[in-house]
Amino acid sequence: MPPVKGGAIENLIDVFVKQNELSKEHSITVFGIYSREAEEASKKYRHCTFKYIKLDKFSVGFRYIINRISPLKIGNAYIHKVKKELETIGEYDVIIVENRAEYAIPLFKVAKGKLILHLHNDILNIETKNATKILSCYEKVFTVSNYIKSRVLTITDKDKDKDKVVTLYNGIDSNKFDKNNYTSIYESERTKYSISKEDTVILYTGRVIASKGVKELIEAFIQLKEYTNVKLLIVGSANFGESVTDAFLLSIKEIAQKAKENIIFTGYIDYDKLPILYSIADISVIPSIGIEAAGQTVLEASSTGNAIITSDSGGIPELIGSNGIIISRDENFVDNLSTHLRTLIDDKELREYLGRNAKINARNFDDNIYFDDFCKLIDKKSKE
């Protein structure tokens, strides 16, 4: 942090921090792993202190080996150092743990009953090791969707802890993703990727890994053989912050050879440049076949005003409502995806209708609303 290497959670934290820069409502300290680029980027913030934890490979490796082979658990090297830092800090109202639910156990004593979990993934449920103990350490759990909330409540009595677990939907800087901001570079940006003005562009953004359904999207696109003026733009990499080639990427590029003239892989694109890629697209596809707690790409595409096709994964339907096309993840997923792509390619009026409605819906998740809702939950907790 700041999110110089991307990452949905990191960018969401940055939304809150940037809003606080405007409101000056809170004094914030953010802990993160040291990065020279992040440290440089942090200098532009005036109302947030960034504390960086430096980790040497020997310490991390030693702790990993001991934790793996010995009954003596010495814990995570990063959180061990964070805990020491927290013990030296003066008074604070709350400590918010972003997604790493297991950090509650080492932080519990130093937190003094002020621990909040902001949960972004389905990693705290009845199947989680030490789930009951972890949940008991937190005063509140903020989940990014009702789906994730329901998963957390599998641990305990729903009636007893229903007020402890609260849904806090993600936020988005909707103005940043408004495609009207990028009309002056629309043609040049399309030209950069050998896309003509007449082409219909289908866009995928996110990590290029199996659970995101990228292979299924390519297979669905290959079925669209009758179209010569449709392009599929795949934006992202297997890793955050860098373009890497792994076995999965190589395998889907091999599949993509069947439509190689119309499928474009960009590799990793910096988050600040993503709105430009969204702006040159007509259709955004979020084809996740794994569990999506609350895909941030849904809000990005919605804010842009693109027509959206997505799977019914996790919390995605909560974000999109009836303002896009939602496909069941069943044995017909690829064929149904291809069918709905055909529908939107052929029907420009429907594309624009869905895009307009998605853009209106995105206003419900605007970053200032997210910030206000987050602050209200924090203030309510600190006053209890």
Side-chain angles (χ1 to χ4, degrees):
M1 281 296 297
V4 292
K5 294 186 177 181
I9 296 173
E10 290 81 358
N11 280 293
L12 196 60
I13 297 168
D14 203 44
V15 166
F16 183 85
V17 171
K18 283 180 175 176
Q19 281 293 309
N20 191 67
E21 290 289 297
L22 300 174
S23 72
K24 306 176 181 62
E25 192 165 338
H26 297 286
S27 175
I28 300 173
T29 300
V30 174
F31 284 91
I33 294 174
Y34 175 77
S35 155
R36 183 169 51 81
E37 296 87 354
E39 186 177 45
E40 187 62 31
S42 72
K43 293 176 182 177
K44 65 183 178 182
Y45 296 83
R46 295 290 174 265
H47 302 281
C48 181
T49 300
F50 291 87
K51 287 185 173 289
Y52 293 107
I53 304 298
K54 292 185 178 181
L55 298 174
D56 62 89
K57 290 182 180 179
F58 174 78
S59 174
V60 173
F62 176 75
R63 282 176 171 271
Y64 175 78
I65 292 169
I66 293 298
N67 288 327
R68 290 280 292 179
I69 68 174
S70 170
L72 172 66
K73 301 298 180 184
I74 60 174
N76 175 286
Y78 167 73
I79 203 61
H80 176 73
K81 291 191 175 186
V82 170
K83 181 181 176 183
K84 282 193 168 185
E85 286 280 343
L86 283 173
E87 288 171 344
T88 67
I89 291 178
E91 198 60 33
Y92 49 82
D93 296 303
V94 292
I95 295 175
I96 300 170
V97 175
E98 291 288 347
N99 209 44
R100 296 297 296 266
E102 72 277 13
Y103 285 175
I105 295 173
L107 290 179
F108 180 67
K109 287 184 179 179
V110 72
K112 301 170 186 174
K114 301 176 180 179
L115 209 54
I116 293 174
L117 173 63
H118 189 194
L119 191 61
H120 301 260
N121 295 107
D122 183 18
I123 54 176
L124 182 59
N125 52 62
I126 193 64
E127 290 90 25
T128 304
K129 184 179 180 180
N130 296 321
T132 302
K133 183 177 181 180
I134 290 170
L135 183 60
S136 69
C137 290
Y138 289 106
E139 290 297 304
K140 291 285 184 181
V141 178
F142 303 159
T143 62
V144 296
S145 63
N146 286 329
Y147 170 79
I148 295 299
K149 177 180 178 178
S150 70
R151 294 289 290 153
V152 175
L153 290 176
T154 60
I155 300 169
T156 186
D157 187 296
K158 291 184 180 181
D159 292 327
K160 175 186 169 187
D161 285 320
K162 64 180 181 181
D163 294 329
K164 180 174 185 171
V165 186
V166 181
T167 297
L168 172 67
Y169 287 116
N170 291 346
I172 184 81
D173 182 349
S174 56
N175 182 62
K176 180 177 182 176
F177 283 87
D178 188 337
K179 65 171 59 181
N180 292 323
N181 295 328
Y182 308 100
T183 53
S184 63
I185 58 173
Y186 175 83
E187 288 188 29
S188 62
E189 198 65 25
R190 279 194 162 214
T191 300
K192 183 192 298 185
Y193 295 102
S194 301
I195 299 169
S196 74
K197 276 198 307 183
E198 292 74 29
D199 286 336
T200 299
V201 177
I202 300 165
L203 177 70
Y204 168 85
T205 65
R207 293 179 67 196
V208 182
I209 56 177
S211 64
K212 297 295 184 180
V214 190
K215 180 173 78 73
E216 287 72 14
L217 173 57
I218 292 172
E219 290 172 342
F221 182 82
I222 289 170
Q223 292 184 21
L224 309 175
K225 296 176 181 177
E226 67 270 33
Y227 299 101
T228 57
N229 63 333
V230 178
K231 297 290 194 294
L232 173 59
L233 194 58
I234 296 175
V235 179
S237 173
N239 283 2
F240 293 120
E242 58 181 347
S243 290
V244 297
T245 299
D246 63 4
F248 178 73
L249 180 58
L250 288 173
S251 70
I252 62 172
K253 281 189 172 181
E254 182 65 29
I255 297 169
Q257 286 295 306
K258 295 176 183 177
K260 61 182 179 180
E261 300 300 321
N262 295 318
I263 299 178
I264 303 154
F265 292 86
T266 70
Y268 171 78
I269 298 291
D270 186 81
Y271 187 78
D272 285 337
K273 295 178 181 177
L274 274 184
I276 299 172
L277 276 298
Y278 275 103
S279 76
I280 66 172
D282 303 286
I283 303 165
S284 284
V285 183
I286 301 100
S288 296
I289 56 174
I291 295 299
E292 284 284 355
Q296 193 70 359
T297 49
V298 176
L299 300 184
E300 293 165 1
S302 298
S303 297
T304 303
N306 289 345
I308 298 171
I309 301 176
T310 183
S311 73
D312 61 352
S313 174
I316 287 178
E318 298 173 46
L319 301 181
I320 197 170
S322 59
N323 303 296
I325 296 171
I326 301 174
I327 304 173
S328 297
R329 292 167 297 151
D330 56 24
E331 66 276 9
N332 299 313
F333 181 69
V334 171
D335 290 340
N336 288 337
L337 178 53
S338 185
T339 297
H340 287 297
L341 284 170
R342 277 194 179 87
T343 299
L344 291 185
I345 291 166
D346 292 337
D347 195 337
K348 183 179 179 181
E349 189 174 327
L350 177 60
R351 285 202 312 264
E352 292 178 347
Y353 171 78
L354 289 174
R356 283 194 303 273
N357 286 351
K359 194 171 184 178
I360 292 169
N361 182 58
R363 294 172 190 162
N364 296 316
F365 304 94
D366 201 60
D367 51 5
N368 63 321
I369 295 174
Y370 169 72
F371 179 76
D372 288 344
D373 288 346
F374 208 146
C375 287
K376 287 173 186 174
L377 290 173
I378 293 172
D379 290 343
K380 182 179 179 181
K381 165 65 194 80
S382 63
K383 291 173 183 176
E384 288 177 353

